[in-house]
């Protein structure tokens, strides 16, 4: 990672007082901050500056926060940058963190700046730990966790960060059946079981992207999924 951006938090938010509050507290905690006040400008800055983390508000002018999140998380150049969403809408949380958008964490407004700083530190620690940098293979599939790259027969395929984590988890636990609720817990980070059909939806999408190579993932009726032993 570029050392200049290794400590930078990009704040994408249009409410001036929220930006000021966050920037002040982050600087006090030793971070460098960068700001953008609409979705389009935020997207552009995220791509150019490659910050260590992005705080992204849901409601933004020009481009909504979820759209920005989705674009960043599907771009191999930015998908490894953690995103913490700010939201005033509790009902959006499942979609934000778990489903199609792939944000890493969220905070609901009004928030305590101290809480935000603690969460950011936790996310960054998770990123530093990197115990899983080793290349993994399953049949024609190769995963390079350090670069967030997946290829099938040497050809790169584009996975969302959730699909990536799901595939990596299955490969790491090769041969062992993974129950849906366990996957929700380990891949999605949910402590309580929400709708386990979420897992099926993502496995379906992952299989589609893997094409013929998808036969390495077996469904175990009534339980969950398993990666075939070689
Ligand atoms: Ca806003």
């Amino acid at each position: 990672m570029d050392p200049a951006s290794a400590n930078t938090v990009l704040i994408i938010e249009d409410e001036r007082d929220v930006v000021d509050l966050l920037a002040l507290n982050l600087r006090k905690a030793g971070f460098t901050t960068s700001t953008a006040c609409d979705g389009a400008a935020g997207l552009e800055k995220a791509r150019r500056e490659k910050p260590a983390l992005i705080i992204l508000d849901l409601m933004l002018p020009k481009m909504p926060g979820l759209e920005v999140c989705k674009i960043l998380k599907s771009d191999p150049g930015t998908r490894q940058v953690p995103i913490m969403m700010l939201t005033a809408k509790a009902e959006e949380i499942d979609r934000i963190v778990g489903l199609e958008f792939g944000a890493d964490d969220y905070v609901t407004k009004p928030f305590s700046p101290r809480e935000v700083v603690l969460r950011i530190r936790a996310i960054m620690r998770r990123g530093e730990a990197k115990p899983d940098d080793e290349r993994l293979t399953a049949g024609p599939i190769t995963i390079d966790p350090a670069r967030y790259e997946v290829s099938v027969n040497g050809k790169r395929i584009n996975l969302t960060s959730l699909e990536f984590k799901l595939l990596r988890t299955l490969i790491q636990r090769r041969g062992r059946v993974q129950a849906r609720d366990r996957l929700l817990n380990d891949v999605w980070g949910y402590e309580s079981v929400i709708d386990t059909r979420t897992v099926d939806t993502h496995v379906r999408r992952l299989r589609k992207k893997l094409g013929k190579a998808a036969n390495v993932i077996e469904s175990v009726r009534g339980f969950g999924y398993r990666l075939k032993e070689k």
Side-chain angles (χ1 to χ4, degrees), residues 185-201:
N185 199 305
D186 296 348
V187 176
W188 279 256
Y190 290 144
E191 276 164 22
S192 56
V193 175
I194 50 156
D195 193 345
T196 53
R197 278 173 302 186
T198 298
V199 178
D200 301 330
T201 308

Side-chain angles (χ1 to χ4, degrees), residues 12-15 57-61 109:
I12 309 176
E13 163 67 289
D14 58 318
E15 287 163 72
D57 189 41
L58 194 67
M59 307 282 279
L60 288 169
K109 290 176 176 176

Side-chain angles (χ1 to χ4, degrees), residues 23-77:
L24 177 74
N25 282 275
L26 286 166
R27 281 192 218 120
K28 260 201 252 168
F31 294 101
T32 305
T33 56
S34 173
T35 59
C37 58
D38 68 63
L43 183 61
E44 195 271 319
K45 267 202 165 177
R47 285 179 163 153
R48 187 159 37 88
E49 297 178 357
K50 299 271 167 60
L53 184 136
I54 298 168
I55 298 180
L56 176 60
D57 189 41
L58 194 67
M59 307 282 279
L60 288 169
K62 292 193 184 165
M63 187 186 284
L66 284 181
E67 187 61 26
V68 176
C69 181
K70 200 171 158 188
I71 294 170
L72 290 173
K73 287 298 186 185
S74 56
D75 180 344

